[in-house]
């Protein structure tokens, strides 16, 4: 199997590549990654001798076509992913998320290659805090942010290429991931590394917003299952019954790190901040027999704190610039 992984130097992609090398040492894995601020060669250092890393842009049609022609399957992670960055400057999100996905689709269409497109639950918009409903495959798309609108556009392109051109593609929409190698701009690593660098954690608004947390290894495990056994044309929702409000996550994390649970700052809320995301993953459970393994969120959080404690050389060089950007935005 020759596998092309776009965005494989980012958080989820790098963990996916590690798992590919562990589980399938016989696969030939190529990573295509632009190594933007969010991508890092170091994230692939543990497997650098077992893979090929091509530094390049997913919107480069010639390059993508050549790499796809040499592959049996493509897993497409590459994207601009941070909602706050999208609010500040949406243009790169349009380019990478929409044109990048179009470029991948044209290449897999030309060369008849299987595609798995990695998307997010944010395409469905927000759920009410007081309504137990969860997202399913038939929930209408209703994106709120420039980020989620571009991911929704990309998903629509994939669906259209399946229907119009018979492209063999699956889509997964996953909830919020946590785990090692996540950029320090994101909620959980930002707060852990704030504590580790003597800064106070920052909570947007009231902290009542709910996210449905899943360990990155569980997400990637589900992506493997879909790649191997999913039905082309189908969308699968990936989640691990991990709903928690932001205030609870932050207080848990502070306690685990030996701090007073109220030792944080409240900062201005994110514009258009979605209240709640929640995934009903039952069709993945029922049809593909998948189930998450990291079901104890506190244990996963403790291990993630340990990872950031032990890997300051990975995140340390990024931290000051990220916090300077947040400070400019008053957050
Ligand atoms: P990330 O920001 O950590 O990594 C993105 C990677 O894509 C980086 O390595 C970056 O260099 C690369 N990239 C960006 N623009 C590129 C371009 N033009 N050409 C080539 N490479 C480019 O993101 P992540 O959190 O690992 O997310 C990966 C995918 O999973 C994304 O598609 C995202 O929408 C989706 N997703 C993420 C989450 C989450 O909680 N993080 C949840 C559900 C879905
Ligand atoms: O400092 C912070 N304080 C805070 O309260 C940050 C960075 C975030 N937050 C809040 C905003 C969200 O309610 O925490 C929650 C999680 O924030 P993010 O880590 O920015 O994630 P989110 O916006 O939920 O999106 C994430 O999950 C879905 C990923 O970044 C997306 O790429 C993915 O599609």
């Amino acid at each position: 199997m020759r596998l092309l992984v776009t965005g494989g130097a980012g958080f989820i992609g790098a963990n996916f590549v590690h798992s590919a090398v562990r589980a399938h040492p016989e696969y030939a894995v190529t990573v295509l990654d632009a190594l933007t601020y969010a991508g890092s060669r170091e994230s692939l250092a543990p497997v650098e001798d077992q893979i090929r890393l091509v530094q390049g842009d997913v919107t480069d049609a010639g390059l993508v076509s050549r790499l796809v022609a040499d592959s049996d399957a493509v897993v497409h992670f590459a994207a601009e992913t941070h909602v706050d960055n999208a609010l500040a400057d949406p243009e790169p999100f349009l380019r990478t998320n929409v044109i990048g996905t179009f470029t991948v689709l044209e290449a897999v269409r030309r060369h008849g290659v299987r595609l798995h497109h990695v998307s997010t639950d944010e395409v469905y918009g927000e759920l009410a805090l007081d309504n137990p409903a969860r997202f399913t495959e038939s929930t209408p798309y209703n994106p709120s942010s420039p980020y989620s609108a571009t991911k929704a556009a990309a998903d629509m392109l994939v669906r259209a290429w399946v229907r119009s051109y018979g492209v063999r593609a699956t889509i997964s929409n996953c909830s919020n991931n946590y785990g090692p190698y996540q950029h320090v701009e994101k909620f959980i690593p930002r707060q852990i590394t704030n504590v580790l660098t003597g800064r106070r954690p920052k909570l947007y608004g009231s902290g009542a917003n709910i996210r449905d947390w899943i360990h990155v290894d569980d997400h990637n495990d589900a992506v493997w299952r879909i790649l191997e056994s999913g039905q082309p044309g189908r969308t699968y929702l990936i989640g691990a019954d991990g709903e928690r409000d932001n205030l609870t996550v932050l207080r848990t994390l502070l306690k685990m790190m030996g701090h007073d649970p109220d030792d944080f700052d409240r900062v201005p809320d994110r514009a258009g901040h979605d209240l709640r995301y929640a995934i009903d993953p039952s069709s993945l459970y029922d049809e593909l027999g998948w189930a998450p393994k990291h079901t104890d969120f506190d244990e996963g959080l403790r291990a993630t704190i340990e990872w950031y404690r032990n890997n300051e050389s990975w995140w340390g060089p990024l931290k000051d610039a990220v916090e300077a950007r947040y400070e400019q935005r008053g957050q």
Side-chain angles (χ1 to χ4, degrees), residues 81 120 122 147 176 187 190 202 204 211 246 270 273:
T81 62
T120 171
E122 299 197 18
Y147 163 67
N176 281 65
F187 179 58
R190 183 183 185 202
K202 310 288 183 204
Y204 293 174
R211 295 294 180 265
N246 293 341
R270 172 183 283 173
H273 196 174

Side-chain angles (χ1 to χ4, degrees), residues 4-39:
L4 177 64
V5 182
T6 74
F11 162 47
I12 305 174
N15 280 288
F16 181 84
V17 170
H18 292 188
S19 75
V21 168
R22 262 195 318 268
H24 299 287
E26 74 284 9
Y27 284 11
V29 179
T30 299
V31 169
L32 170 64
D33 198 296
L35 297 177
T36 68
Y37 81 95

Side-chain angles (χ1 to χ4, degrees), residues 17-296:
V17 170
H18 292 188
S19 75
V21 168
R22 262 195 318 268
H24 299 287
E26 74 284 9
Y27 284 11
V29 179
T30 299
V31 169
L32 170 64
D33 198 296
L35 297 177
T36 68
Y37 81 95
S40 139
R41 243 175 232 288
E42 288 76 58
S43 303
L44 293 171
V47 294
E48 66 185 351
D49 296 334
Q50 288 119 292
I51 63 159
R52 176 165 70 124
L53 171 59
V54 177
Q55 180 169 2
D57 202 294
V58 73
T59 62
D60 179 340
L63 174 64
V64 171
S65 179
R66 282 195 298 281
L67 294 174
V68 167
D70 278 340
S71 307
D72 301 308
V74 180
V75 183
H76 177 41
F77 290 99
E80 287 288 339
T81 62
H82 194 37
V83 174
D84 296 318
N85 293 346
L87 290 165
D89 179 14
E91 194 276 339
F93 290 72
L94 270 291
R95 216 178 52 78
T96 293
N97 300 1
V98 183
I99 303 298
T101 302
F102 162 71
T103 307
V104 170
L105 282 166
E106 283 293 83
V108 296
R109 169 161 88 101
R110 185 168 315 117
H111 301 292
V113 171
R114 167 87 168 89
L115 168 69
H116 181 70
H117 171 70
V118 178
S119 189
T120 171
D121 60 358
E122 299 197 18
V123 299
Y124 298 114
E126 69 178 0
L127 294 162
L129 291 177
D130 56 0
N131 177 342
R134 301 196 289 178
F135 299 135
T136 69
E137 283 79 356
S138 53
T139 302
Y141 274 38
N142 186 25
S144 313
S145 73
Y147 163 67
S148 53
T150 59
K151 292 297 291 188
D155 294 8
M156 292 301 168
L157 292 177
V158 177
R159 290 180 182 197
W161 262 241
V162 167
R163 170 95 184 239
S164 301
Y165 303 118
V167 159
R168 286 179 301 133
T170 41
I171 300 176
S172 56
N173 298 82
C174 186
S175 60
N176 281 65
N177 285 221
Y178 72 97
Y181 298 104
Q182 188 168 29
H183 197 279
V184 292
E185 68 190 355
K186 302 290 183 354
F187 179 58
I188 288 179
R190 183 183 185 202
Q191 313 312 338
I192 294 172
T193 55
N194 272 12
V195 173
L196 293 177
T197 55
R199 296 168 165 100
R200 283 165 68 82
K202 310 288 183 204
L203 185 70
Y204 293 174
S206 69
N209 308 65
I210 293 174
R211 295 294 180 265
D212 189 355
W213 294 99
I214 182 171
H215 193 279
V216 63
D217 287 345
D218 281 332
H219 179 184
N220 282 330
D221 201 42
V223 168
W224 277 114
R225 188 65 61 94
I226 296 164
L227 189 63
E228 286 163 358
S229 315
Q231 208 181 306
R234 278 285 308 271
T235 287
Y236 296 91
L237 266 56
I238 307 174
D241 296 311
E243 282 187 70
R244 278 180 183 61
D245 65 70
N246 293 341
L247 177 61
T248 302
V249 173
L250 182 53
R251 289 174 64 103
T252 306
L253 204 146
L254 277 161
K255 278 189 269 182
M256 285 176 178
M257 298 185 78
H259 281 242
D260 185 300
D262 292 321
D263 205 2
F264 64 86
D265 294 333
R266 289 180 191 274
V267 294
D269 208 352
R270 172 183 283 173
H273 196 174
D274 282 338
L275 288 174
R276 173 173 165 253
Y277 305 136
I279 292 271
D280 175 354
S282 46
S283 57
L284 194 59
Y285 285 49
D286 297 344
E287 290 177 36
L288 298 188
W290 174 85
K293 297 190 180 81
H294 298 265
T295 49
D296 183 338

